[in-house]
Amino acid sequence: MSHVEIRKAWVKVPNDSLEIEAYLAEPIDAEIRAAVIVIQEVFGVNSHIRDVTERIAREGYVAIAPAIFQRTAPGFEVGYGEEDLKLGRFHKDQTKATELLSDLQAAIAYLKSARSISEIGAIGFCFGGHVAYLAATLPEIKATASFYGAGIAVMTPGGGAPTMTRTSDIQGKLYAFFGTQDPLIPVEQIDQVEAALQTHQIDHQVFRYAAGHGFFCEQRSDYNAEAAGDAWEKVKELFSELRR
């Protein structure tokens, strides 16, 4: 479906007194009932995240990337340098799981009201991969792709029990993608996440690639074309279930 023409725009997603900026891409002249929420890395809703959002739209979905740093850094977008990473991590450290889930719930409500969406999935990268695992615990999320989400086994945004302890709340299907050479995610933590998914009998698959952190992003030094290509096919397979 990658030939599908799309429209794209920045929109505002209301969440009580907060207005969350979000990048929206959707097919033109098509009645779409399925949507995917795209969750950013610590670098903001930057060109890579916008590109992923557009790629998903070209596959026939409404795709929306909410700015998850809206509370502390509206309009935040940086590159992939060391100072950029430092700044991104600063804002990541200000987030709380409760607020992130509230913002994702607001995005879901927006999709249902503004776009009459009935089936919703989520995909996230880096810190967004961790947040995607949180998103999977929301009952409306039917399919989740979590890419190299660091810390799932050992922490949660804002403090408290690790996000992995919420695994039993996942009701849809989850695909998790990891690089076995990722310095931010020890292999034993990947094993722990996989064990939790198995223990709670979540419909899931865990994919491991001989790659480093950020292997899906062409703008990062760890980009791995082979791993990225294979993972994209898996993502398309996962989200195709939203249309069934």
Side-chain angles (χ1 to χ4, degrees):
M1 259 202 186
S2 54
H3 61 280
V4 169
E5 285 189 50
I6 62 170
R7 67 168 68 90
K8 48 208 176 181
W10 286 95
V11 298
K12 291 187 185 297
V13 173
N15 185 11
D16 294 328
S17 60
L18 184 69
E19 279 197 325
I20 305 164
E21 294 180 356
Y23 187 69
L24 181 80
E26 59 188 337
I28 295 173
D29 299 329
E31 190 173 319
I32 306 298
R33 289 283 176 262
V36 175
I37 299 172
V38 182
I39 309 172
Q40 66 182 64
E41 303 167 304
V42 297
F43 308 100
V45 184
N46 63 5
S47 58
H48 168 57
I49 295 302
R50 296 194 299 271
D51 176 65
V52 171
T53 306
E54 292 168 17
R55 286 174 71 183
I56 290 171
R58 289 191 188 96
E59 294 297 329
Y61 306 91
V62 174
I64 190 168
I68 62 172
F69 293 165
Q70 187 73 39
R71 287 175 171 80
T72 59
F76 185 76
E77 176 183 345
V78 292
Y80 289 94
E82 279 303 313
E83 287 304 309
D84 299 320
L85 177 59
K86 188 176 177 181
L87 194 55
R89 283 178 169 167
F90 171 80
H91 291 296
K92 176 203 79 163
D93 290 342
Q94 313 307 306
T95 63
K96 299 179 177 69
T98 51
E99 292 177 344
L100 291 164
L101 286 167
S102 171
D103 293 350
L104 292 166
Q105 202 73 69
I108 291 168
Y110 175 88
L111 289 167
K112 287 187 168 184
S113 63
R115 292 296 184 274
S116 301
I117 294 299
S118 57
E119 300 297 319
I120 302 174
I123 185 172
F125 303 87
C126 178
F127 178 56
H130 187 136
V131 179
Y133 202 96
L134 277 171
T137 68
L138 297 173
E140 297 94 339
I141 300 294
K142 306 301 185 193
T144 301
S146 171
F147 275 79
Y148 32 85
I152 293 169
V154 294
M155 58 80 72
T156 201
T163 292
M164 188 176 71
T165 63
R166 304 177 188 231
T167 301
S168 61
D169 295 333
I170 297 172
Q171 296 173 39
K173 179 177 284 192
L174 185 139
Y175 280 9
F177 302 85
F178 295 103
T180 55
Q181 297 157 15
D182 187 339
L184 301 180
I185 310 174
V187 171
E188 53 266 30
Q189 289 185 19
I190 302 174
D191 293 342
Q192 289 171 333
V193 170
E194 188 164 22
L197 290 164
Q198 290 170 346
T199 296
H200 294 289
Q201 299 182 319
I202 308 303
D203 190 358
H204 75 282
Q205 290 193 61
V206 175
F207 302 98
R208 305 177 189 226
Y209 299 96
H213 191 74
F215 66 80
F216 192 79
C217 176
E218 293 179 5
Q219 300 177 35
R220 303 186 70 164
S221 58
D222 273 331
Y223 174 65
N224 182 307
E226 185 178 354
D230 184 78
W232 181 242
E233 292 305 313
K234 302 287 196 302
V235 166
K236 290 194 293 184
E237 167 194 295
L238 172 68
F239 290 146
S240 69
E241 300 189 11
L242 296 171
R243 291 199 288 248
R244 288 176 188 168

